Amino acid sequence: MPSSPTPSPTPEPSGVRRRSLLGAAAAAPVLASLAGAGSASAAPAASAASATAGPAGGPRALPGGGDLGPNVIVFDPSTANIQGRLDEIFKQQESAQFGTGRYALLFKPGTYSGLNAQLGFYTSIAGLGLSPDDTTINGDVTVDAGWFDGNATQNFWRSAENLALVPVSGTNRWAVSQAAPFRRMHVRGGLNLAPDGYGWASGGYIADSRIDGTVGPYSQQQWYTRDSSVGGWLNAVWNMVFSGVEGAPAQSFPEPPYTTLETTPVSREKPFLYLDGDEYRVFLPEKRTDARGVSWGNGTPRGTSLPLAQFYVAGPDDSAATLNQALEEGLHLLLTPGIYHLDRTVEVNRAGTVVLGLGYATLIPDNGVTALKVADVDGVRLAGFLVDAGPVNSATLVEVGPEGASADHSANPTTVQDVFVRIGGAGPGKATTSLVVNSRHTIVDHTWVWRADHGDGVGWETNRADYGVVVNGDDVLITGLFVEHFNKYDVQWNGERGRTVFFQNEKAYDAPDQAAIQNGSIKGYAAYKVGDDVTEHEGWGLGSYCYYNVNPSIVQHHGFAAPNRSGVRFHGLLVVSLGGNGQYECVINDTGSPTSGTDTVPSKVVQYP
């Protein structure tokens, strides 16, 4: 990418992405420049609920509400040395890609000036108002890539929510890749999605946000924006997808590669913590159909809220038995930052249950169990946590609905939002299938399901994981689907009337040879496979990449496989070989041109069939 501080508005594609090679960047190093130290007050305790009645009318054995723990840092406009405390946490988390630190930085409503909140790994920043405009930072919330020599392709696991920003330079920098949501944000200026120096980047996701100025993705290879408003959009590299976005560029795939839907078929924004006076509550936004623009544009958002007294405020020392007891007693779960080891499955059996994580709370199944299961009930909301596979193989990591689930949840679906899955990287991990969706009408809104290609415990069999996402339920919608590096199908979709808006994929880098990926008579497993018996399915803006760096001679027949029938439709498909390390013969089934040699240029199919 250009190293000039004034790049072309339509730069060349960002080049081959080698996440595992430190220093293999396209631009000069960019070093973080701010320093300082300080502290801030911990969250106040919410007193209420130890005497609240359980579902059977008797007292609960476990209390609701309580302190949010040491890693939830709460600021108000009078807090001293906020910048110092932000810098202290950033210094710790900047390059701690597989570390154990987890932080939520929460800002009470009000106005803050002169801040630059740089975000490292496992750090979430959020306002505590009911609207983003209740909490204004005259300053920046910054993600850059100085720690990785200007390469932003590993800027994972961080988030910004529910704030208004007035950037110092007029433009806020948010150079992220996967698992880094930007939700309910109001940027009173522009948004730059590239690192300083315009090195590689591979994100990302924006939802329910208003950017008054122009969004400049520059070197971002792909991006998905949902139910938002933008003042303009500068360029595209491989795959830019918009649904329900005011100001989005017009549909133009394949060139430029914009896939634009006027509305999002169904959406329901992520639950969030806020302050009502001195009381913490969790807001539950209502479902929207054919949504367009932000949910909070006319003042108070539409939905309901729950007092913190109705949540069991969990900490990383809590056992799975304690979490299940809280759920059985009718409490919701608020997972404060930290790493939770589970020796049994957390079971969500009650309709309307909320499981909300703060600061990338991480669940690890230690002995091959499934980390979390949801019953076939209405309106469960899972949001804001990471599931990290343990060293003993789990058959599944997250199950939404039991096998054979068939109840109609169209009026009140289960939502899975910013729930991320990792197999390997932080250490050995194995899982046959990561996320299984059995319940009808489930909405999965932004997930990154990742079999690690770098870090510890990584190898073709070391962190074996055959399937990323398996959808068996009918009428499931996924908006913002990122799934990478699985040994077999990254996505296998067996349910009827499924819909995906935006898909990003890389096939596993580390296949040793052609035989290791052979799928019967087919060369390689598709990244996205629709079951042979499915009669209705639709997808918009889907991309798959290969980078077989262990054996560049490997050939992948296609990125996508689906029944060839009129009810199964795709719009805006692409495959690309990164630097010629492996090749695709087709895009979908036997349709689409092969990738071409060492040129990192996508092969595209506009419509299928």
Side-chain angles (χ1 to χ4, degrees):
M1 294 309 301
S3 56
S4 164
T6 309
S8 163
T10 54
E12 292 300 310
S14 56
V16 179
R17 182 168 105 190
R18 298 186 179 92
R19 282 183 177 155
S20 57
L21 301 181
L22 182 64
V30 182
L31 299 177
S33 60
L34 299 184
S39 62
S41 60
S47 61
S50 57
T52 304
R60 288 184 176 126
L62 292 173
D67 190 88
L68 299 181
N71 285 15
V72 176
I73 316 298
V74 179
F75 303 100
D76 65 47
S78 67
T79 303
N81 196 22
I82 296 174
Q83 186 66 56
R85 186 69 170 118
L86 296 174
D87 291 346
E88 177 186 11
I89 293 170
F90 176 67
K91 182 178 179 181
Q92 175 184 318
Q93 298 299 114
E94 179 183 12
S95 58
Q97 181 172 179
F98 298 111
T100 58
R102 304 286 188 273
Y103 290 93
L105 311 176
L106 305 182
F107 285 75
K108 292 183 180 181
T111 300
Y112 303 77
S113 295
L115 297 182
N116 181 20
Q118 299 183 88
L119 299 187
F121 287 97
Y122 313 110
T123 305
S124 299
I125 188 169
L128 286 170
L130 200 52
S131 163
D133 290 322
D134 293 340
T135 311
T136 298
I137 293 178
N138 290 305
D140 296 81
V141 172
T142 301
V143 178
D144 207 343
W147 74 278
F148 201 42
D149 294 332
N151 177 349
T153 62
Q154 293 184 26
N155 280 355
F156 314 137
W157 303 307
R158 63 202 75 195
S159 66
E161 299 185 45
N162 204 29
L163 291 165
L165 304 178
V166 184
V168 170
S169 70
T171 299
N172 188 79
R173 185 183 302 278
W174 185 255
V176 298
S177 286
Q178 288 79 5
F182 196 81
R183 288 184 181 270
R184 291 181 61 78
M185 296 289 286
H186 184 188
V187 181
R188 298 175 192 163
L191 190 64
N192 183 345
L193 303 179
D196 189 17
Y198 300 92
W200 306 334
S202 182
Y205 175 91
I206 294 171
D208 201 24
S209 293
R210 175 174 290 150
I211 294 89
D212 293 345
T214 298
V215 179
Y218 300 104
S219 55
Q220 283 286 356
Q221 294 160 346
Q222 65 275 317
W223 199 275
Y224 174 52
T225 307
R226 177 183 64 72
D227 297 356
S228 293
S229 173
V230 299
W233 193 274
L234 190 62
N235 71 286
V237 176
W238 289 342
N239 189 31
M240 299 289 168
V241 180
F242 309 84
S243 67
V245 178
E246 297 168 345
Q251 169 72 32
S252 59
F253 192 93
E255 196 58 45
Y258 295 132
T259 298
T260 302
L261 288 72
E262 285 297 305
T263 62
T264 302
V266 185
S267 58
R268 190 172 67 189
E269 299 305 329
K270 178 184 171 186
F272 61 92
L273 191 68
Y274 75 102
L275 276 172
D276 181 9
D278 293 329
E279 180 191 8
Y280 283 106
R281 299 180 69 88
V282 173
F283 193 80
L284 307 179
E286 70 174 20
K287 187 185 75 169
R288 296 200 289 167
T289 301
D290 295 326
R292 182 172 174 82
V294 299
S295 69
W296 47 271
N298 296 318
T300 304
R302 297 177 66 88
T304 58
S305 70
L306 299 170
L308 196 64
Q310 293 184 19
F311 285 76
Y312 179 71
V313 180
D317 292 335
D318 282 317
S319 67
T322 300
L323 300 181
N324 281 329
Q325 180 183 348
L327 292 168
E328 289 165 5
E329 291 180 3
L331 291 165
H332 307 275
L333 293 182
L334 185 72
L335 305 174
T336 63
I339 296 174
Y340 298 69
H341 285 269
L342 307 176
D343 63 356
R344 67 188 72 178
T345 301
V346 175
E347 300 192 33
V348 180
N349 295 320
R350 178 171 49 88
T353 299
V354 179
V355 180
L356 176 61
L358 301 178
Y360 285 83
T362 301
L363 308 180
I364 302 178
D366 286 333
N367 53 1
V369 300
T370 298
L372 188 146
K373 292 184 178 181
V374 179
D376 194 21
V377 295
D378 270 359
V380 171
R381 303 182 196 226
L382 309 179
F385 56 89
L386 171 65
V387 178
D388 203 355
V392 178
N393 186 74
S394 294
T396 59
L397 292 173
V398 178
E399 294 182 20
V400 180
E403 184 177 352
S406 59
D408 185 327
H409 303 297
S410 55
N412 191 8
T414 285
T415 47
V416 181
Q417 299 177 283
D418 301 345
V419 173
F420 307 118
V421 176
R422 178 173 68 196
I423 300 96
K430 292 186 176 183
T432 304
T433 304
S434 293
L435 171 62
V436 181
V437 180
N438 293 318
S439 286
R440 294 181 62 195
H441 304 101
T442 298
I443 300 170
V444 180
D445 174 44
H446 189 226
T447 188
W448 184 40
V449 181
W450 186 57
R451 176 182 168 264
D453 60 275
H454 63 271
D456 294 332
V458 171
W460 183 249
E461 296 295 343
T462 306
N463 62 329
R464 180 88 193 184
D466 284 350
Y467 307 102
V469 176
V470 175
V471 179
N472 296 318
D474 295 340
D475 308 291
V476 171
L477 170 66
I478 304 186
T479 51
L481 177 60
F482 300 74
V483 189
E484 297 187 306
H485 307 307
F486 285 83
N487 295 75
K488 292 185 177 179
Y489 293 124
D490 297 274
V491 174
Q492 183 166 356
W493 203 302
N494 302 316
E496 287 286 359
R497 297 175 298 281
R499 293 176 290 183
T500 296
V501 184
F502 181 88
F503 172 66
Q504 184 266 328
N505 165 262
E506 288 180 346
K507 294 303 299 172
Y509 291 172
D510 54 352
D513 50 41
Q514 188 74 40
I517 66 162
Q518 194 68 17
N519 180 16
S521 62
I522 300 172
K523 298 173 186 175
Y525 288 80
Y528 189 107
K529 162 71 172 175
V530 179
D532 294 341
D533 296 330
V534 171
T535 61
E536 293 182 54
H537 187 91
E538 195 159 10
W540 295 264
L542 286 72
S544 176
Y545 321 149
C546 73
Y547 179 62
Y548 287 115
N549 63 332
V550 171
N551 189 335
S553 69
I554 289 176
V555 175
Q556 177 85 22
H557 181 61
H558 48 215
F560 303 90
N564 186 12
R565 52 177 62 105
S566 61
V568 178
R569 298 172 291 172
F570 290 92
H571 317 272
L573 295 168
L574 66 97
V575 298
V576 62
S577 167
L578 303 184
N581 291 272
Q583 300 290 343
Y584 291 93
E585 293 179 326
C586 304
V587 178
I588 179 168
N589 295 343
D590 300 321
T591 297
S593 301
T595 51
S596 52
T598 59
D599 294 332
T600 304
V601 176
S603 178
K604 300 173 182 177
V605 169
V606 177
Q607 302 282 349
Y608 184 88

